[in-house]
Amino acid sequence: MTRPDPRKTAALSAALSGAVDLGALKARADAARQRATAPPPSPGSGGAVGGSDAGPSPWVLDVTEATFQSVVERSLDIPVVVELTASWSPEAGQLSPVLERAARAGGGTWLLARVDLDANPRIGQVFGVQSVPTVVAIAGGQPLDAFAGPLPEAEFGQWIARLLDALRDRLPGIKAAEANRAAEPGEEPAPEPEDPRFTAAEDAFEQGDFAAAEAAYEAILAAEPGNAEAKAALAQVRFTARAEAVPADAIAKADGNPDDVDAQLAAADLELATNDVEQAFKRLVDTVRRVFGEDRDKVREHLVSLFELFPPDDDRVAKARRNLASALF
């Protein structure tokens, strides 16, 4: 059984788009708001490779390099099983129907994302695919397990069952989908209606209008101060706007001027945006150790704001919090 490199997959958005990867926070907000609902299949997506007479399913998606980030985001709510396939592979043709039937039967407890490697080679490169088909399970934006080659239906059923058992208490969408299936057996639950306030904010964010997105989330928080989704999304928007303004040579400048606090903050933002998370945290903790007074408070507050861009149980955040406490006291 082959396993992908977790760091490569965590950096998937940046590798595919060449831009800053800021999808994690949006995923957290979407996951909490949408719960077990899956995005409706786009036109031409969701059909089975090799043919299926069951019609489109929201749990089976055909994915491209342009849309893969949204699938990674869905893994904050339910597991995503990525099928890396190719039309010329007879083994892939054997496996695809097995995966599709299982996804349909799962009723939204997990999502099947198919990737045609001939048309989307960069996704295969990110995962380090060496043979077709390869299947990778993603949860929380990270790969958890993988296998290569065809797998009998019963064995795949056992594999996905173990995955769901391991993740049921961590991903809220699994239990929600199971509850929906129990309430209406045989029917796929209809997606919950979108909150137009969040839709407007997300549209502005995706169009690069960070000021409008920030204003939209601030308006939600003014009306609902306890709205955790809006708070998390607002932190993401502010970081995005700040990170995109950081010059490409910020890290070199910071390394050459260790006492320049603003340079250290900018470099940490750039490192975080390019998924060098631990180095970004280390840079700021080291800066806290070197500076005092208002400068120390400024660096500490900046670091804490970066922590908010991650799930609270992220191991890297926990480690950095301990290091920060040691540096302060």
Side-chain angles (χ1 to χ4, degrees), residues 104-109 164 174 176-189:
R104 290 176 181 274
T109 54
L164 293 174
I174 298 175
E178 289 172 337
N180 283 333
R181 278 198 307 169
E184 300 183 37
E187 296 184 16
E188 292 176 341

Side-chain angles (χ1 to χ4, degrees), residues 130-326:
Q130 298 180 350
S131 62
V132 175
T134 291
V135 173
V136 182
I138 300 176
Q142 299 291 331
L144 296 185
D145 204 353
F147 65 85
L151 199 66
E153 197 152 357
E155 290 186 30
F156 179 77
Q158 295 169 359
W159 184 81
I160 196 67
R162 287 194 298 270
L163 188 71
L164 293 174
D165 287 343
L167 297 170
R168 188 169 284 107
D169 292 332
R170 293 171 50 192
L171 300 183
I174 298 175
K175 288 183 179 179
E178 289 172 337
N180 283 333
R181 278 198 307 169
E184 300 183 37
E187 296 184 16
E188 292 176 341
E192 295 177 7
E194 292 280 349
D195 185 327
R197 301 173 302 169
F198 277 90
T199 300
E202 290 163 6
D203 287 346
F205 177 82
E206 291 170 1
Q207 293 167 12
D209 190 346
F210 302 131
E214 182 174 356
Y217 286 124
E218 287 177 339
I220 295 173
L221 287 171
E224 303 174 25
N227 193 311
E229 306 158 36
K231 182 179 179 181
L234 179 60
Q236 177 199 6
V237 169
R238 287 173 173 169
F239 174 76
T240 306
R242 191 172 72 235
E244 289 203 350
V246 174
D249 62 349
I251 294 174
K253 287 183 176 179
D255 290 344
N257 298 276
D259 295 328
D260 186 332
V261 169
D262 289 335
Q264 301 308 316
L265 302 185
D269 282 350
L270 183 57
E271 287 166 336
L272 192 69
T274 55
N275 203 52
D276 199 353
V277 177
E278 293 184 61
Q279 174 56 33
F281 290 166
K282 181 180 183 301
R283 177 184 295 277
L284 295 185
V285 170
D286 289 346
T287 304
V288 166
R289 297 183 193 278
R290 292 195 303 268
V291 300
F292 301 93
E294 292 182 359
D295 283 344
R296 172 176 277 198
D297 290 339
K298 182 177 183 179
V299 178
R300 177 187 59 80
E301 291 171 3
H302 193 95
L303 179 55
V304 171
S305 76
L306 297 186
F307 291 161
E308 295 176 354
L309 300 173
F310 295 85
D313 60 351
D314 189 290
D315 290 340
R316 297 164 299 183
V317 171
K319 178 182 176 181
R321 285 189 185 278
R322 292 192 298 269
N323 292 339
L324 177 60
S326 175

Side-chain angles (χ1 to χ4, degrees), residues 89-113:
S89 169
E91 292 83 3
Q94 296 171 24
L95 182 63
S96 282
V98 170
L99 302 184
E100 180 175 348
R101 285 193 294 271
R104 290 176 181 274
T109 54
W110 58 280
L111 179 70
L112 175 61

